[in-house]
Amino acid sequence: MSTTSTTEPTAGAPALDRRPPALELDKLTCRFGELTAVGNVSLTVPEGSRFGIIGPNGAGKTTLFNLLSGELRPTSGTVALFGKDVSKLSPPQRVQLGLGRTFQVVRVFNMLTVRENLTLALSGLSRSKLQLFRPWRTYRAQQARAEELAASFGLGDRLELIAGELSHGELRELEVMLALATEPKVLLLDEPAAGLSPAERVDILALLSRLSKELTVVMIEHDMQVLRSAVDWVAVLDHGELVTQGPTLEVQRHPAVRELYLGSAAHQGGEHDGASA
Amino acid sequence: MSKSDDLLTSTTAIVPGIEELTGEASAVKLRTRLNLGERMVGPVAGVACLVVILILLTSGSYLSTIFEDILIFAIAAMGIDFLGGFGGLITLGQAGFLGVGAYGVAIAEEHGFTAWAAIGISVAVLLGLAALTGVVAVRVSGITFVIVTLAIGQIFWGLTYQWTSLTSGDNGISLLSAPSIGPWSLSNTMPLWVTTFIVFVVIMGLLLLMVRSPFGLSLRGMKNNEPRLRALGYRTGIQRYIGYVIASFVAGLAGILYIFSNHLVSPASLTFSQDGFLVLMVIMGGLGTIWGPVIGAVIVVMFQQEVSTYISRWETVMGIVFIAAVIFTPGGIADLLRKGQLVVHRLIVTMRHDGGSPLAVATASADGLGGAARSLDSDGPKGSPPQSTGDRPTTDETAGRVQQ
Ligand SMILES: Nc1ncnc2c1ncn2[C@@H]1O[C@H](COP(=O)(O)OP(=O)(O)O)[C@@H](O)[C@H]1O
Ligand SMILES: [Mg+2]
């Protein structure tokens, strides 16, 4: 709480500030009873940026994503997507406007095959999703797209497998694939590398680096290495409040962040030596 | 592309090696083989129907009444399975819609309409009531949905009971005339039976087509993980609404056939216990199969007709059978059949590769059972999401529910 005075330490907005904003959060607040999970957060995410969100466990990062995607309604404040206030829209309505997300706790259709998962995601924004009298397998172009997507994530041979049988790393990849299949303009990734082996981490980083430059990506991530290679701007949350934001390397050196972040990282085994950069 | 893939995997599934019993590859093939098993259902059902028709052609009208009942209730039960087995929404008010279909015809005829016009009126009323009540029903899900649909069914029952000027109350209404095309009149046993059978086959075919459509897939997605479906752009209220209207309409069509078969409809046809029997057929037969409820209908109707002549407390017996069925075969009879088919298949495969020792056969079939249960039980123990390695795994889940 004492560190909130340094809300805007550097330029005030990300380096790509000449681009129009994709997301604008205005004094966004979400309370659960006594607890303020997200308090008065104002942020601007420019189009095409790679935006990181960090903070200790319980800082309110996932809650912030839930406010952005519509899973939760804010207690006060607004969210605008490409200039349009979406605060009152439901999750599917926000998806229609180009917002896609993944979940920290993997949420795939674990009873359905990978192919069925991808088909559902690909139909999400098409009119065919209400078609009753034609088997979904006969939509050739869509199935080709599903196969292509799976292949690009190295899951081409997993299409007929029930998603519940995938390994953790594959589930994470499927989670990202589902979000990408809706062809979002803004992609929210909630700890996409959580629980992955170092090798899988490299894989997912490679995937993220191949995403279209037009796509705006907001990513919650603990791993400093992942952050350094995947995002160019970082906002820091603690106790639901924005502590600071700025270019990744600068934020890493910020004293409040080092105290907060490295402190908590040290508890987790001290594997994040962010200061060495 | 996908078709040739299918072909490829199914040919390998016919002549598999023993090594496929381990690891992920076996899971892939297991599934393909079950699809093969599913494809067998059509021919088997067709042969069974032929046998039934032959029996009917040579038997009196008592048996044909039982078969009509079976088909009529099976139609309604398949509608319940469409929404429940695939969309995860169990409706407990379908006897109400069955009643609406039957009363619609009887009341319209009483007001001087011809049989054909009465059917048209009944269909229109059905669609209207399904569309209207759907607006209320789809606002809720889970157990609340069950209760709301039950309430809707009970309102229909109450109306038939109390609105005596229209429904003659407790006495019910008798059918005045049945429709006919030339000599083909539904007042005769054979045409009625054949018509009922045709409607049954058409509805079954349509429902089987619909569960394979993009809409059917979205129903399954909704049952599996509704918040995720919403996060992919589906306004799931629409999915629920369409599913509800289809299920209710199908029950109503069964009701229209019911009045021509039974010649009388009274509030007794809309009671809660009728709802219970319909759901019983679905659960006993096997949720999520469309054809399973047909088997359930055979069992329940047989019980009603046959066992009741020997045992006066037959409903108690039915209840015990039901509880036993739920405990011992949670996937219903359809699931039992598929598991049995799988075991037989494994045995044949192992014998063909005759190096297989009896032990290998035993483990193979045991593995098959486990695997089948895993990939088929639509809400088995794997219903919970995979373990999270992130902080506080429950947070995300609760967060998802708050807004609902
Ligand atoms: N639906 C909810 N109801 C009540 N409290 C919640 C809910 N969701 C999150 N919280 C609380 O809000 C705080 C922030 O949680 P979260 O956003 O998940 O943190 P993070 O993702 O940064 O680890 C935590 O204290 C958590 O317990
Ligand atoms: Mg979180």
Side-chain angles (χ1 to χ4, degrees), chain A:
Chain A
M1 297 282 191
S2 55
T3 54
T4 48
S5 54
T6 54
T7 296
E8 300 200 352
T10 45
L16 297 152
D17 58 356
R18 253 162 281 140
R19 298 226 204 167
L23 273 171
E24 289 161 289
L25 291 59
D26 186 29
K27 301 200 188 77
L28 208 55
T29 301
C30 180
R31 290 197 193 92
F32 299 116
E34 292 286 277
L35 178 82
T36 302
V38 172
N40 220 24
V41 171
S42 297
L43 277 175
T44 300
V45 180
E47 268 179 42
S49 58
R50 296 286 185 270
F51 203 103
I53 294 180
I54 63 170
N57 286 345
K61 306 181 296 294
T62 296
T63 305
L64 186 72
F65 266 22
N66 286 337
L67 293 172
L68 297 183
S69 68
E71 251 81 24
L72 288 172
R73 294 289 159 85
T75 313
S76 63
T78 59
V79 181
L81 184 63
F82 299 110
K84 179 180 160 56
D85 184 357
V86 296
S87 313
K88 301 228 154 48
L89 299 187
S90 68
Q93 285 171 317
R94 296 187 202 198
V95 177
Q96 312 270 349
L97 292 174
L99 190 74
R101 76 167 291 186
T102 69
F103 294 89
Q104 179 178 359
V105 180
V106 173
R107 262 193 208 178
V108 301
F109 302 100
N110 59 351
M111 305 282 178
L112 307 185
T113 64
V114 172
R115 182 187 291 279
E116 287 164 342
N117 269 270
L118 292 174
T119 305
L120 272 175
L122 288 166
S123 318
L125 291 186
S126 84
R127 262 199 221 147
S128 71
K129 71 179 161 184
L130 293 181
Q131 166 64 251
L132 282 162
F133 301 110
R134 181 178 159 189
W136 57 263
R137 282 178 192 276
T138 62
Y139 288 80
R140 287 302 176 85
Q142 192 182 57
Q143 288 307 303
R145 177 87 186 93
E147 284 154 19
E148 185 191 323
L149 198 60
S152 74
F153 277 69
L155 292 181
D157 59 343
R158 292 283 192 270
L159 276 166
E160 314 307 332
L161 208 63
I162 304 283
E165 320 230 333
L166 294 176
S167 73
H168 180 74
E170 290 168 335
L171 280 172
R172 282 257 166 242
E173 287 175 340
L174 179 58
E175 180 81 29
V176 176
M177 271 190 268
L178 289 183
L180 281 177
T182 63
E183 299 191 348
K185 292 186 219 117
V186 178
L187 178 63
L188 311 179
L189 299 169
D190 196 346
E191 304 200 19
L196 295 188
S197 69
E200 288 170 328
R201 233 164 246 240
V202 172
D203 279 353
I204 211 142
L205 272 180
L207 283 170
L208 294 179
S209 68
R210 275 192 273 130
L211 294 177
S212 152
K213 291 278 171 284
E214 313 281 290
L215 183 68
T216 310
V217 181
V218 185
M219 186 200 287
I220 297 174
E221 185 50 66
H222 281 299
D223 191 299
M224 269 299 170
Q225 237 168 339
V226 172
L227 276 176
R228 267 196 302 254
S229 66
V231 305
D232 38 40
W233 192 270
V234 174
V236 186
L237 281 187
D238 184 34
H239 290 97
E241 303 199 11
L242 186 64
V243 178
T244 181
Q245 61 170 319
T248 314
L249 294 180
E250 251 172 69
V251 166
Q252 261 180 279
R253 285 192 291 266
H254 196 282
V257 173
R258 294 191 55 173
E259 185 198 322
L260 259 176
Y261 199 73
L262 297 181
S264 78
H267 282 295
Q268 290 168 2
E271 57 190 87
H272 311 282
D273 58 337
S276 66

Side-chain angles (χ1 to χ4, degrees), chain B residues 48-248:
Chain B
C49 289
L50 268 179
V51 172
V52 166
I53 289 172
L54 284 176
I55 293 173
L56 278 171
L57 282 170
T58 55
S59 70
S61 72
Y62 168 68
L63 251 190
S64 77
T65 310
I66 290 187
F67 280 111
E68 268 163 35
D69 275 358
I70 288 174
L71 291 180
I72 288 167
F73 290 118
I75 291 172
M78 288 189 299
I80 295 175
D81 192 24
F82 178 67
L83 187 56
F86 295 86
L89 295 165
I90 300 284
T91 50
L92 207 41
Q94 296 306 82
F97 280 97
L98 197 143
V100 168
Y103 268 102
V105 171
I107 292 173
E109 285 196 359
E110 208 166 54
H111 285 76
F113 289 96
T114 65
W116 282 113
I119 291 174
I121 290 170
S122 182
V123 164
V125 170
L126 263 176
L127 281 175
L129 283 177
L132 206 69
T133 55
V135 174
V136 183
V138 301
R139 289 182 184 276
V140 290
S141 56
I143 191 72
T144 327
F145 180 82
V146 178
I147 292 167
V148 168
T149 54
L150 172 63
I152 291 168
Q154 290 303 291
I155 289 171
F156 290 157
W157 170 78
L159 284 176
T160 61
Y161 201 71
Q162 309 232 304
W163 195 349
T164 46
S165 60
L166 196 67
T167 64
S168 313
D170 219 1
N171 299 325
I173 313 183
S174 297
L175 184 76
L176 292 177
S177 72
S180 55
I181 305 171
W184 184 266
S185 165
L186 290 199
S187 51
N188 299 329
T189 309
M190 181 56 77
L192 176 61
W193 200 88
V194 172
T195 307
T196 308
F197 185 71
I198 290 171
V199 173
F200 165 80
V201 169
V202 168
I203 301 249
M204 188 181 201
L206 284 177
L207 288 175
L208 281 171
L209 180 59
M210 285 194 266
V211 299
R212 284 162 177 72
S213 70
F215 176 80
L217 185 59
S218 75
L219 276 187
R220 293 170 62 206
M222 184 170 80
K223 179 183 184 185
N224 190 174
N225 195 336
E226 186 169 351
R228 183 35 136 163
L229 199 63
R230 290 173 61 76
L232 292 174
Y234 291 79
R235 303 168 76 163
T236 47
I238 296 174
Q239 254 74 23
R240 267 192 238 157
Y241 187 76
I242 295 174
Y244 174 88
V245 171
I246 289 172
S248 304

